[in-house]
Amino acid sequence: VTSGQLREQGNALFQAGDHAAALAAYTQALSLCDAEPERAVLHRNRAACYLKLEDYAKAEADASKAIGANGRDVKALFRRSQALQKLGRLDQAVSDLQRCVSLEPKNKAFQEALRALGSSMHEKMKTMSCTDSKVEQMFQILLDPQEKDADKKQKAAQNLIVLAREEAGAEKIFQSDGVQLLMQLLDTAQPDLMLAALRTLVGLCSGHRSRTAAILAKLGAPCLAAVLGVEHEQVSLAACNLLHVMFESLKEGLQKDFRGKEDAVVLDSSKDLRLLIKHLLELLALEGASAHGRDNALNLLIKVVPRKSPKEADNSLSLWVIDQGLKKILEVGSSVCGTPGSLPVTKNSRMNASVLLSKLYDDLKCDAERENFHHLCEDYVRSWFEGHELAGKLRAIQTASCLLQGPAEAGNRVLELSGIMESVLSLCASVSESHQLVAVEALIHAADKAKRASFITTNGVNLLKEIYKHSERDSIRIRALVGLCKLGSAGGTDFSMKQFAEGSTMKLAKQCRKWLCNEAIDAGTRRWAVEGLAYLTFDADVKEEFVEDKAAMQAMFQLAKSEDSSVLYAVASTLVNCTNSYDHEEPDPQMVELAKYAKQHIPEQHPKDKPDFVKRRVRKLLVAGVVSALSCMVKSENLALTNSCRELISRVFLALVAEAEDRGGVVAQGGGKALIPLSLEGTEVGQTKAAQALAKITITSNPEMAFPGERIYEVVRPLVSLLHLQRTGLENFEGLMALTNLAGISERLRQKILKEKAVPMIEGYMFEEHELIRLAATECMCNMAMSKEVQELFLAEGSDRLKLMVLYSGEEDERLQRAASGTLAMLTSLHPPICKRIPQVTVHWLEILQALLLSPSVELQQRGAVVVMNMVAADREVAEQLMASEMLEILLVLAKDQDKP
């Protein structure tokens, strides 16, 4: 292949809208080409591709190479000016455009672009000059100790924050020594002024790497960490937000060749990142730091340390945090409220520490890294367990609990250390409530794993029964009950594997519901009742009783909406069990027979887990208001909403929209809105389940009503994800049906579908063997054909798209005929050149059109007539071919038919 052929291929791909493929063709051509003029043209073409792909730095670089070879290349100059505009370098963009106009004075496009750019620069200059005096005035009001007017100060603070959100205003504040003045506001220790300073700094740092680095150098990491640890909750939260923005801006520079708005060479920011993280880790173990400050630090570490995706190769930040700060994180996880030497923590701190530990452990890539993690955890637990008497043993057991809720493998390794499990069992019988609480919780978390469950069943069940029957404290009894629930549900949904005597499970569930509804008990303790139900609802009898108990359902939904984040997973698990939305495969009958013959255990389904029972339970949950509870759970920005928790919620939503008549109610209560974030982040299974639920809603509801405003455009990406080859046939089919509905609404939606690269996948499914999938893909293409770009694809050289549509119009399946002939009618109406191409794609074109007109279906006849009318109008030669055939007689007969107006 020559470079010239590759360039032609690139041009064709660019015209067809496949900019990434065109870029690849031009790049390959460059590698084969030595002639300077030819290389300049290829660089200019690559610049056009980069502009379309929104990589403006590379577009500017390629255009500059083309200009270097030929300074009078107006196309390259114009493309560089477009890239420079997007990069914020307006003065250089103006210079390139002026050169274009001087080379081609009569070119209207160049003149218009120069005029538009000139006016936007004028606006910017005007804004800058009027901003100067505003900035000084605002700082004067805020820093004046004599100024007593609170409203005036509040207005000045608000104006400063708004100004910092605009690039021009942010730059002005920064250049006017604003960072020094903001530091003075932080030093006042007045919450209102500190909040104003922190929110203004957020505006200065957002998306601006060099400014962030300069602000960090000026303020210092210790100062920011100290503000994060203050007692005032809102100030601490604002500091957390600022640090998150700083992390994002600094990280952006590490991830790509970043020139961005500032076009400045910035030193490596990895040192700044590590310095900030080091101070956050120190804050965790600092006694003077506030409890919510500690929570915010954990929250930040969860967001910024682990890799966003396993595809990223570098996990060095996680390794560094484990080496430098694992023991500090465990300090928070091992805190026992009310014991001397424990750090001040909130009810969510230990859960946050567990989530962070879990994320760090999941970010490790090899056995050696995991072994190091285990050793550090074991060393920490031993340091407390050996030689610290009772207080130390409590801290060691609490650490094991924290690890079991996070990286369970590390928790199991800790429990295997000599004496730990024995201490747990002996402390369960302690007279001190706080000691007993720690031990019983550890026992409950330990019961999760089958190999330990057998040990606990032998040694712990009688102990838990004793505590449950004889303890006078509800807080202890409810936890003992959960331990019994866990052990009682070890058989899962297998009806034949009952752990306890008949009726015991129902008694435990009844007690759980009773405690759940008792508002006199604090929410933290009632949460454990939901934990119990999460295990007991494996039993279908328990599910049936639970959905009949409206008070218990309402109490659980109220807890889900509360601030106690640790309850989310238990609520989601209970709902997954009630709706049977877990994965269950039907066993192969032959394998069942073999298992019987070999006397192996065969799982049995409970009679009340049959589809009719599940459908009734779903209805009762919908009536009780499950959708609003789930929507609140998704909205809550808390750390317990882990990816696995998101997956459970997605499963429940998919079960709730299984029946078409229920979907309107789900949308009305906010289900559609909640499903969008679930479909965009989380586990792959969770995202797919949420996307499938969105597809079901889009198929049977009016999408514009279900997803009002801009939200409808957010639905496109999840629906396109259902077309990937690894999805099931049903998911492909529902994705195509939903996209068909969206493509019929507006050109903007069709453009969004094109941008998500869905068209090649839709085309692929038009060749699918399964007739329903093939039909859905053809219908989807029919609606997509209203787009100019799609119409052009049907004329692309070497493409069989048009041939396939003509042949499908002659298929035996009437629905497929209807979709294909509808596409032809659309294409011939909107893009007349296609009319001339139809006779060239297949020799059977004429008989297929005649068969459409002679069809018993009026719809097919009408589609055929529209195609023939468009072809006659488009080209004389085609019209002659049509009229020379029997087509004229057929048309004469149809024209006289009074029954078909």
Side-chain angles (χ1 to χ4, degrees), residues 602-617:
I602 302 158
E604 289 177 29
Q605 189 187 35
H606 196 292
K608 290 182 182 173
D609 269 335
K610 292 202 162 56
D612 287 347
F613 283 93
V614 177
K615 208 181 286 185
R616 280 201 292 274
R617 288 202 291 268

Side-chain angles (χ1 to χ4, degrees), residues 503-622:
S504 298
T505 321
M506 299 299 286
K507 283 180 190 166
L508 292 173
K510 192 173 179 182
Q511 186 58 52
C512 278
R513 296 203 312 272
K514 187 176 165 188
W515 268 322
L516 180 59
C517 298
N518 185 352
E519 291 185 11
I521 303 173
D522 68 286
T525 304
R526 282 162 64 215
R527 158 178 91 78
W528 286 95
V530 185
E531 286 271 349
L533 286 168
Y535 287 94
L536 293 175
T537 45
F538 279 126
D539 185 323
D541 288 316
V542 174
K543 301 178 200 184
E544 287 294 317
E545 278 205 359
F546 178 68
V547 296
E548 293 299 335
D549 189 341
K550 287 180 185 167
M553 284 196 288
Q554 291 296 338
M556 185 173 85
F557 297 158
Q558 283 307 115
L559 272 181
K561 295 175 186 178
S562 71
E563 288 180 12
D564 186 356
S565 59
S566 51
V567 79
L568 294 187
Y569 194 84
V571 172
S573 300
T574 306
L575 292 171
V576 164
N577 291 341
C578 288
T579 55
N580 282 33
S581 46
Y582 37 72
D583 291 328
H584 46 87
E585 288 180 21
E586 288 296 321
D588 182 346
Q590 287 181 313
M591 295 305 289
V592 171
E593 289 305 315
L594 273 172
K596 281 180 184 170
Y597 179 72
K599 295 185 178 165
Q600 292 290 319
H601 172 71
I602 302 158
E604 289 177 29
Q605 189 187 35
H606 196 292
K608 290 182 182 173
D609 269 335
K610 292 202 162 56
D612 287 347
F613 283 93
V614 177
K615 208 181 286 185
R616 280 201 292 274
R617 288 202 291 268
V618 166
R619 285 275 155 79
K620 283 171 182 168
L621 285 166
L622 283 167

Side-chain angles (χ1 to χ4, degrees), residues 565 568 633-636 638-643 645-646 649:
S565 59
L568 294 187
M633 287 161 75
V634 175
K635 267 187 227 163
S636 63
N638 76 53
L639 304 173
L641 192 66
T642 55
N643 286 344
C645 189
R646 285 171 177 278
I649 296 171

Side-chain angles (χ1 to χ4, degrees), residues 333-603:
S334 68
S335 292
V336 181
C337 294
T339 57
S342 270
L343 297 168
V345 289
T346 69
K347 61 186 176 185
N348 291 327
S349 300
R350 283 216 337 272
M351 174 56 90
N352 293 349
S354 294
V355 172
L356 176 56
L357 290 165
S358 179
K359 295 253 184 193
L360 291 172
Y361 188 78
D362 290 345
D363 209 32
L364 302 178
K365 293 197 284 193
C366 63
D367 289 345
E369 290 173 2
R370 291 184 197 96
E371 206 51 45
N372 175 50
F373 187 96
H374 290 313
H375 282 314
L376 289 169
C377 292
E378 286 164 18
D379 290 348
Y380 179 81
V381 170
R382 277 199 207 95
S383 71
W384 276 111
F385 195 71
E386 293 161 9
H388 276 87
E389 297 181 348
L390 183 59
K393 285 186 171 51
L394 281 170
R395 291 290 290 267
I397 293 168
Q398 192 78 304
T399 308
S401 265
C402 176
L403 287 166
L404 284 164
Q405 286 178 280
E409 207 174 310
N412 283 322
R413 287 270 295 259
V414 163
L415 284 181
E416 282 159 15
L417 294 175
S418 170
I420 296 276
M421 208 63 211
E422 289 74 11
S423 295
V424 171
L425 291 172
S426 64
L427 278 168
C428 279
S430 168
V431 288
S432 159
E433 181 177 5
S434 59
H435 298 175
Q436 206 177 4
L437 276 176
V438 170
V440 173
E441 282 188 25
L443 192 62
I444 293 166
H445 296 311
D448 268 347
K449 295 286 168 277
K451 64 175 181 178
R452 188 144 300 100
S454 55
F455 170 83
I456 295 167
T457 309
T458 315
N459 300 287
V461 170
N462 289 333
L463 179 62
L464 288 171
K465 282 182 180 172
E466 285 301 305
I467 295 171
Y468 174 56
K469 285 176 185 169
H470 301 121
S471 175
E472 291 172 11
R473 306 184 187 103
D474 273 347
S475 58
I476 302 286
R477 287 185 68 216
I478 202 164
R479 284 163 173 80
L481 174 69
V482 173
L484 290 169
C485 293
K486 276 194 179 184
L487 296 168
S489 66
T493 55
D494 184 354
F495 179 48
S496 60
M497 279 188 65
K498 292 283 183 186
Q499 297 293 308
F500 291 156
E502 193 66 47
S504 298
T505 321
M506 299 299 286
K507 283 180 190 166
L508 292 173
K510 192 173 179 182
Q511 186 58 52
C512 278
R513 296 203 312 272
K514 187 176 165 188
W515 268 322
L516 180 59
C517 298
N518 185 352
E519 291 185 11
I521 303 173
D522 68 286
T525 304
R526 282 162 64 215
R527 158 178 91 78
W528 286 95
V530 185
E531 286 271 349
L533 286 168
Y535 287 94
L536 293 175
T537 45
F538 279 126
D539 185 323
D541 288 316
V542 174
K543 301 178 200 184
E544 287 294 317
E545 278 205 359
F546 178 68
V547 296
E548 293 299 335
D549 189 341
K550 287 180 185 167
M553 284 196 288
Q554 291 296 338
M556 185 173 85
F557 297 158
Q558 283 307 115
L559 272 181
K561 295 175 186 178
S562 71
E563 288 180 12
D564 186 356
S565 59
S566 51
V567 79
L568 294 187
Y569 194 84
V571 172
S573 300
T574 306
L575 292 171
V576 164
N577 291 341
C578 288
T579 55
N580 282 33
S581 46
Y582 37 72
D583 291 328
H584 46 87
E585 288 180 21
E586 288 296 321
D588 182 346
Q590 287 181 313
M591 295 305 289
V592 171
E593 289 305 315
L594 273 172
K596 281 180 184 170
Y597 179 72
K599 295 185 178 165
Q600 292 290 319
H601 172 71
I602 302 158

Side-chain angles (χ1 to χ4, degrees), residues 655-826:
L656 296 176
V657 297
E659 299 298 316
E661 59 265 33
D662 296 332
R663 292 169 196 167
V666 171
V667 170
Q669 292 176 52
K673 186 180 177 183
L675 277 165
I676 293 171
L678 290 172
S679 65
L680 295 172
E681 54 185 299
T683 65
E684 192 173 343
V685 173
Q687 287 183 32
T688 306
K689 301 276 182 199
Q692 199 183 352
L694 283 171
K696 286 179 185 290
I697 290 169
T698 311
I699 291 165
T700 53
S701 315
N702 176 353
E704 290 171 291
M705 301 280 281
F707 310 105
E710 292 298 302
R711 205 174 296 151
I712 195 168
Y713 302 99
E714 294 174 46
V715 179
V716 174
R717 182 171 296 169
L719 295 180
V720 172
S721 74
L722 293 176
L723 304 189
H724 293 150
L725 288 173
Q726 64 268 39
R727 303 284 176 261
T728 65
L730 178 63
E731 287 162 359
N732 298 156
F733 174 69
E734 291 183 331
L736 288 164
M737 294 266 286
L739 287 169
T740 304
N741 266 6
L742 292 184
I745 291 173
S746 71
E747 180 57 26
R748 191 177 159 199
L749 271 167
R750 289 190 286 278
Q751 287 299 324
K752 177 73 176 161
I753 295 169
L754 276 164
K755 197 174 179 185
E756 293 295 338
K757 299 184 172 56
V759 171
M761 290 189 270
I762 297 166
E763 283 180 353
Y765 287 114
M766 286 171 66
F767 293 93
E768 177 67 43
E769 281 182 32
H770 195 292
E771 57 187 43
L772 285 175
I773 295 178
R774 190 170 64 223
L775 171 65
T778 310
E779 287 177 341
C780 192
M781 187 55 78
C782 178
N783 282 354
M784 287 301 294
M786 289 188 263
S787 254
K788 191 79 176 156
E789 286 92 330
V790 177
Q791 293 157 23
E792 292 293 345
L793 293 177
F794 280 88
L795 285 175
E797 284 299 326
S799 154
D800 282 338
R801 296 180 183 97
L802 188 58
K803 181 179 179 178
L804 185 68
M805 280 300 174
V806 177
L807 293 174
Y808 275 178
S809 299
E811 280 283 313
E812 287 179 11
D813 180 348
E814 191 184 311
R815 291 173 304 171
L816 184 61
Q817 266 189 297
R818 204 161 47 222
S821 55
T823 310
L824 284 181
M826 190 89 71

Side-chain angles (χ1 to χ4, degrees), residues 236-306:
S236 174
L237 198 60
C240 175
N241 187 28
L242 169 61
L243 282 164
H244 189 214
V245 166
M246 291 178 110
F247 273 116
E248 290 301 306
S249 298
L250 292 171
K251 264 185 141 175
E252 201 163 308
L254 292 179
Q255 285 161 1
K256 58 183 181 185
D257 171 23
F258 186 83
R259 296 181 78 184
K261 299 169 189 166
E262 69 266 36
D263 186 36
V265 178
V266 186
L267 293 171
D268 179 24
S269 46
S270 58
K271 286 180 184 172
D272 289 337
L273 279 169
R274 293 197 174 191
L275 181 68
L276 274 176
I277 290 171
K278 179 171 171 278
H279 283 284
L280 286 178
L281 291 168
E282 283 172 5
L283 177 75
L284 293 180
L286 194 70
E287 283 186 23
S290 65
H292 43 256
R294 199 166 274 109
D295 273 4
N296 287 331
L298 287 167
N299 194 341
L300 261 174
L301 290 166
I302 289 166
K303 286 177 181 171
V304 301
V305 174

Side-chain angles (χ1 to χ4, degrees), residues 3-53:
S3 63
Q5 287 171 316
L6 283 165
R7 192 178 96 190
E8 289 304 319
Q9 190 184 332
N11 293 348
L13 287 163
F14 189 88
Q15 290 297 325
D18 195 346
H19 304 118
L23 176 66
Y26 294 140
T27 305
Q28 198 182 342
L30 270 169
S31 67
L32 300 174
C33 172
D34 296 324
E36 198 55 48
E38 176 92 3
R39 287 181 69 81
V41 172
L42 287 167
H43 279 301
R44 184 179 75 196
N45 290 0
R46 276 208 325 181
C49 292
Y50 282 127
L51 281 171
K52 290 286 185 187
L53 295 167

